[in-house]
Amino acid sequence: MGPRPPFWNLLAVGLPVAGALVGIPTASSRGGTGDFAGRLGGAVIGLLVVAVAAALGIGAAVTSLMRNERMAWLSMLALLGSAVIALPIAALLIRDN
């Protein structure tokens, strides 16, 4: 049986991109006379959306590699890109101060 179609490969790339498209506008400061805590809360929620989407992208990339799908290079690229996004945010959440 040959390589499978690239469903999870495309999902591994699409999830972080979709998370960035949703999270970055949420994280951007909204103009107006709002307080600083409200703007900071929006930024934290936006970054968490991006981090969760990147973590799901890591899972999709690993799934596509386990299923031996076509375009394994795309999975490796998505795995690297998602790790660059998700791991620093996870380190900030785990850090003990």
Side-chain angles (χ1 to χ4, degrees):
M1 189 159 141
R4 295 182 177 175
F7 173 74
W8 288 98
N9 289 339
L10 299 175
L11 197 62
V13 172
L15 281 170
V17 170
L21 290 176
V22 171
I24 290 174
T26 304
S28 66
S29 63
R30 295 180 180 107
T33 59
D35 62 341
F36 179 71
R39 289 192 299 260
L40 186 62
V44 169
I45 290 172
L47 287 176
L48 286 176
V49 166
V50 172
V52 167
L56 290 174
I58 290 172
V62 169
T63 301
S64 69
L65 290 172
M66 296 289 287
R67 288 174 39 99
N68 193 23
E69 292 185 357
R70 289 189 304 236
M71 295 193 294
W73 61 271
L74 188 61
S75 292
M76 294 302 291
L77 186 66
L79 186 63
L80 181 66
S82 294
V84 166
I85 295 169
L87 291 180
I89 295 173
L92 285 174
L93 292 174
I94 294 171
R95 195 172 86 182
D96 185 24
N97 285 9

